[in-house]
Structures are given as structure tokens and as C-alpha cells.
Amino acid sequence: MMKFFMPTKVCSGKGCIVEHAAQLKTLGNKALIITGKKSAKANGSLHDVQAALDSLQIAYCVFDRINSNPSLATARDGARAAKEFGAEFVIGIGGGSAMDAAKAIAVLAFNELDDKTLFSGPYANPVLPIVAVPTTAGTGSEVTQYSILTDDRLETKSSIASEAIFPRIAFLDASYTEKLPVPVTINTAVDALSHAVEGYLSVKATEVSNILAAESMAIIGKCLPLLDKGPLGFAVREQLLYASMLAGMVIAHTGTTALHSMGYSLTYFKDIDHGRANGLLMHEYLEFIACHHADAVEKITGLLGMKNLSELKVCLDRLLKEKETISKQEAQRFSAKALQAKNLLNTIRKPAREDLEKIIAKSFAV
Ligand code: NAP
Ligand code: FE
């Protein structure tokens, strides 16, 4: 049995928002725009969305209070703003944080839900239509049914996973990513790489998801060595955004795996950026998988254009630079947390808690 479902209409290319503005008219007459504090104003994306809405006489209100790794409280504030304004659809502009917050806001606008039910569903009332404008090339959230929020109740990051929050439209214009700072470019590219790699190593992988993952890895493999070598240029930025979207389509089908499960603790407890957290653990995670699935890991390094895992390690070490310090107690605590994560079950080699602790300890030379 093979299922492939991708309901998001993707429009891409420089100027695509203004060019395809008419699509927005089908979603309603009042939009809540959801952004982070600064970047959407600086990179031209907010301006283009506002110009498109103005041209269609769609009223809008901007909610620009999304922090990285958005909290449930912020999503609830956004939902209140959506209700007060009478929003008929939402537009999330930014990295994964703003797009994920927009998805949670779309759910909460008409649904009174406690924290637990927000993550599990069901949602009795409609979810507002969602438009996504990625301005980082990493999460693929513009084409996924996930919204990942900081969950203080469980001291980790928890996901909403519901077909109701697939964006209706994604606008991919790489010009918004041209001024991304180098560390954000690296961390987000490594997140996209993790999605493609983990999708390939998921028990839910299908022939189609593997084709998308392979293409994504081939592109990211070519881009990785360039990421810390000065301005990337538009063509490379466009390739990264495309590869990140492909990897998003992959995890929409396969979910993420133990690598993301472990990464969540590094973000929650150590404030390490999401993509960086995955990257710091990736080599040891792949060594662990390779013990039982050497062919799959060889295929991955081959697709990346690398000879072996050591070459990937050298590349990641160079890009991610000095690692944070993790204590033995932290490695134990984080592995226990990761063991409870839903996505752990997708991993083709099921890790025990001790395996996870070893991966974390080796990654940080504990
Ligand atoms: P992010 O937290 O959305 O953004 C990181 C930083 O980059 C912010 O300071 C942001 O500033 C800035 N930024 C964004 N776009 C920029 C641009 N074009 N130019 C300059 N600066 C820019 O980072 P992210 O890595 O994209 O997203 C991470 C989040 O996505 C995590 O919460 C992660 O769990 C989630 N995620 C979701 C999925 C999914 O399928 N839904 C998959 C993977 C990860 P502003 O705050 O000013 O905008
Ligand atoms: Fe991710």
C-alpha cells in the first residue's frame, strides 16, 4: 500500500506572490498576517504580501510577535487577534517558527482547546485556510501538516500533526532568503538535510518519498560546501529553497525520526537552534543506523556526493564549528526524553535509551 497526499499548491520564482496574487481571493476577504519580529519587514516578503492583498482589496492585520520555537501562549495570543479581527484566513511569513505559529493560530481561531487536545485533535470547528511564505530554506513547513510548538507541560517540543493544517498555498521566492545570516543559512540547510536523510531512514518511507529525498539530498550535497564561503547568489538560494521544500514533502509522508527526537531536548534545554541540534547529532546517529543498515547509509552519502560518513562529519564539523558542552547527566536526561517522542517510532533501527545516550555522549564527547 502506498499513499501520497500533497494538497498544497506551490507557486515559486522571483515575484511569485504578486504574480499569483489572485489565488488569495479564493480564501477570504480578511487575512491575519503572522510574522516574526523583524525579518519579514526587512526582506521584502511582508511588503509583497501587503501589495498583493491591497491589489485584491483584502483587508489585513499584522501579528508580528512570533519568537523562534514559538510557545503555545503566543499561538493563543495570535488566535485571539485572529478572532478579534474576524480573519478568514492566515498568512504565515518567515522561518518555520512563524509558519508553524500561523498553523496553530488557524486551528485555535475557532476551536477552544486545552493544550492536550490542541496536539491530539479532534477539532470540532473549522480551521482557517493557511498560506505559507518561507523566508528560510530549511523546515519545509510550507508543505507539511505539522506545527511544532514549545510545550512546557512536557518540557519539549510537541507537534500538531493534522491534514487540516496543510497550507493551501505556498509561495516560494528565494529573494527573501538572500540576506539570511550565514549561521541561519547553515542551520536551516542542515535541518532540510535532516528531513531528507531521516525520511529515507523512516519505516514509513515509500518509493515516492525516497525519490523526493534523493533529489533533495543531491541538491543539498552540492550546496553544503558553499554555505560558509561568502555570498551564495540567487541560483544557490533558489536550489536550497527547492531542496528544503522537497524534504518537507518527504517528512509529510515519513515523519521525522530519532534524530529529531533527540534534537528537541537540545533546543528546549540548551537553546540550540533546531537545525543545528540535528546537525550536531547527525554523524553519530548515522553510525548507529549504519550498524544495521549499512546499504541505506552508503546510499545517503553517495547521494550527497561524499565518499563515506567521515566526509560528512568533516563537512558538518566545519560548518557547525565549536560544539556546546553537554554533561553526562544531561545526556541521560535528554535520551530519556527522546525515548518518549512520537517520531522515535519511525526510525528503521529502534534505539533503546542507552543507544540514544551513547549517540548524544559521542556527539558531544561527554
Ligand atoms: P526560525 O526560528 O523561524 O527563524 C530563525 C531566525 O531567522 C529568526 O531570528 C528570524 O527572524 C530569522 N529569519 C527568518 N527569515 C529570515 C530572512 N529571510 N532573513 C534574515 N533573517 C531571517 O527558524 P527556522 O529554522 O526556519 O524554523 C525553526 C522552527 O521550525 C522550529 O520551531 C522547528 O521545530 C520548526 N520546524 C517545523 C517543521 C514543520 O514541518 N512544521 C519542520 C522542521 C522544523 P524573525 O524572528 O525576525 O523573523
Ligand atoms: Fe526539522
Side-chain angles (χ1 to χ4, degrees):
M1 213 275 280
M2 208 278 293
K3 185 182 134 204
F4 187 80
F5 181 60
M6 183 41 60
T8 304
K9 185 179 285 185
V10 177
C11 302
S12 69
K14 205 175 229 170
C16 64
I17 294 182
V18 172
E19 191 181 332
H20 297 284
Q23 312 265 354
L24 296 169
K25 198 67 191 169
T26 61
L27 302 180
N29 291 312
K30 282 181 125 188
L32 183 72
I33 303 175
I34 293 138
T35 72
K37 296 210 163 70
K38 283 197 249 160
S39 69
K41 295 181 190 88
N43 63 34
S45 53
L46 178 62
H47 173 270
D48 286 354
V49 166
Q50 289 174 320
L53 295 173
D54 284 338
S55 74
L56 298 161
Q57 292 171 327
I58 296 175
Y60 57 82
C61 170
V62 180
F63 183 81
D64 61 359
R65 287 165 37 201
I66 307 303
N67 288 321
S68 284
N69 307 302
S71 67
L72 276 157
T74 309
R76 290 193 185 283
D77 289 346
R80 220 167 292 125
K83 240 181 284 178
E84 277 165 18
F85 180 60
E88 293 169 18
F89 65 106
V90 299
I91 306 178
I93 308 176
S97 297
M99 291 189 284
D100 284 4
K103 292 171 175 178
I105 290 167
V107 172
L108 288 166
F110 281 117
N111 288 282
E112 296 280 337
L113 301 168
D114 60 27
D115 293 356
K116 196 158 169 277
T117 323
L118 171 64
F119 288 113
S120 64
Y123 311 132
N125 296 325
V127 171
L128 294 179
I130 299 155
V131 176
V133 182
T135 65
T136 63
T139 69
S141 178
E142 67 276 12
V143 290
T144 73
Q145 71 279 42
Y146 310 124
S147 164
I148 299 165
L149 303 171
T150 297
D151 186 354
D152 290 321
R153 188 178 49 103
L154 300 180
E155 293 188 309
T156 186
K157 303 193 76 177
S158 293
S159 354
I160 305 174
S162 163
E163 286 183 359
I165 59 168
F166 266 116
R168 299 281 182 94
I169 311 174
F171 291 108
L172 272 64
D173 184 334
S175 55
Y176 308 140
T177 68
E178 279 187 305
K179 297 219 174 71
L180 270 172
V182 175
V184 184
T185 301
I186 291 173
N187 294 343
T188 48
V190 170
D191 188 27
L193 172 63
S194 315
H195 298 159
V197 164
E198 289 176 73
Y200 205 77
L201 301 173
S202 164
V203 294
K204 295 185 189 153
T206 67
E207 281 168 31
V208 179
S209 71
N210 280 345
I211 288 171
L212 299 174
E215 180 66 1
S216 180
M217 284 188 263
I219 296 171
I220 295 172
K222 287 200 188 89
C223 296
L224 274 185
L226 310 173
L227 299 183
D228 59 350
K229 301 253 165 63
L232 289 180
F234 185 74
V236 174
R237 291 288 184 189
E238 206 158 45
Q239 285 282 289
L240 283 168
L241 193 57
Y242 175 61
S244 150
M245 179 207 68
L246 292 177
M249 289 182 177
V250 172
I251 57 166
H253 293 85
T254 63
T256 52
T257 68
L259 181 54
H260 266 64
S261 316
M262 292 182 284
Y264 289 156
S265 278
L266 296 184
T267 301
Y268 188 86
F269 293 107
K270 306 289 287 188
D271 203 23
I272 297 175
D273 279 356
H274 171 70
R276 175 175 173 80
N278 297 327
L280 292 170
L281 298 163
M282 189 179 291
H283 171 258
E284 291 304 329
Y285 166 77
L286 288 174
E287 288 282 9
F288 167 77
I289 300 287
C291 290
H292 286 201
H293 300 274
D295 290 0
V297 173
E298 248 172 55
K299 192 87 200 283
I300 287 171
T301 47
L303 284 162
L304 291 171
M306 296 179 183
K307 283 193 289 296
N308 48 36
L309 270 186
S310 308
E311 196 177 333
L312 178 61
K313 178 173 163 46
V314 170
C315 176
L316 289 172
D317 283 352
R318 198 193 78 216
L319 291 174
L320 299 174
K321 301 206 171 73
E322 206 179 323
K323 294 186 174 186
E324 290 76 357
T325 308
I326 301 275
S327 69
K328 189 164 168 43
Q329 287 74 13
E330 284 173 325
Q332 281 167 352
R333 185 178 185 200
F334 299 170
S335 54
K337 277 266 169 228
L339 204 63
Q340 292 159 12
K342 277 187 287 188
N343 48 6
L344 189 98
L345 301 172
N346 298 330
T347 319
I348 48 169
R349 181 183 171 196
K350 295 277 171 317
R353 198 201 59 77
E354 294 72 25
D355 298 319
L356 298 171
E357 187 182 335
K358 255 188 232 157
I359 293 172
I360 298 170
K362 280 189 183 168
S363 299
F364 288 90
V366 174

